[in-house]
Amino acid sequence: MKTFKWIIFLLLLSMTSYFREMIFLGVNEIISNDFDYNPYSYQPIFLKSKPLPYLIKVKFSMTAGFSFLFAVLTILGLRISFSSKFPSKFAMFAYSFLFILGGLMAVITKILGGFDIFYPFLRELIGYIHNPVFYILISATTLATQSIKDYK
């Protein structure tokens, strides 16, 4: 494992996660008309005058964009940090599975309605995608597997 490169990607994923959280808090504050000062959010000024349907579309677009960004950074970080291709391929498979699952859930809610019922599940799913947990878990699993193979 290339430790320095691994740490760089971990920091990059962590900073992206923090930036994402600040932006989403700000957009949620605009949607709820809560303009009290929150030091942990960023309220884009150009969104304050937009109607609610537009803000919801922006939020969904940001969710898709950040999901793609986290997937790319995780897969790229694993590919660069490990000599084995398995970690990056596994991450690609895991993200593909989660994207398909999330997409199916979104389609089901569009067809059947009941977005409020599925929202907690979708929010939990997005929570796993939008942070460095996959990167850390796949890295730890890869290192543990290599250690077991080396021990034998």
Side-chain angles (χ1 to χ4, degrees):
M1 181 174 103
K2 300 167 186 129
T3 307
F4 180 74
K5 291 178 181 178
W6 186 88
I7 291 171
I8 294 296
F9 274 95
L10 178 62
L11 291 173
L12 189 58
L13 283 163
S14 298
M15 289 187 310
T16 302
S17 183
Y18 177 75
F19 175 72
R20 175 243 178 252
E21 191 66 21
M22 285 180 22
I23 297 287
F24 270 81
L25 282 173
V27 172
N28 286 337
E29 289 170 354
I30 293 170
I31 288 173
S32 65
N33 288 319
D34 180 14
F35 296 107
D36 292 334
Y37 177 73
N38 183 344
Y40 302 109
S41 70
Y42 168 72
Q43 296 176 354
I45 295 169
F46 66 92
L47 291 178
K48 287 187 178 183
S49 62
K50 301 295 182 187
L52 183 61
Y54 179 81
L55 293 172
I56 291 171
K57 286 179 185 176
V58 165
K59 194 172 167 184
F60 281 119
S61 298
M62 288 185 346
T63 299
F66 274 106
S67 297
F68 180 75
L69 180 61
F70 274 96
V72 167
L73 288 174
T74 298
I75 293 165
L76 188 61
L78 292 169
R79 183 68 192 111
I80 290 172
S81 300
F82 290 94
S83 55
S84 170
K85 292 181 182 178
F86 177 77
S88 59
K89 285 184 177 184
F90 182 78
M92 196 176 308
F93 171 78
Y95 275 108
S96 296
F97 174 77
L98 290 174
F99 290 157
I100 290 169
L101 182 62
L104 284 173
M105 296 303 291
V107 168
I108 288 170
T109 60
K110 274 286 198 194
I111 294 171
L112 300 177
F115 180 75
D116 294 340
I117 295 169
F118 289 106
Y119 181 76
F121 173 76
L122 289 170
R123 181 64 193 101
E124 191 72 25
L125 186 68
I126 291 165
Y128 288 118
I129 293 171
H130 289 185
N131 67 56
V133 169
F134 273 155
Y135 184 71
I136 294 168
L137 289 176
I138 294 171
S139 297
T141 303
T142 301
L143 291 173
T145 304
Q146 287 175 350
S147 294
I148 292 169
K149 285 180 182 178
D150 293 344
Y151 180 73
K152 290 181 177 182

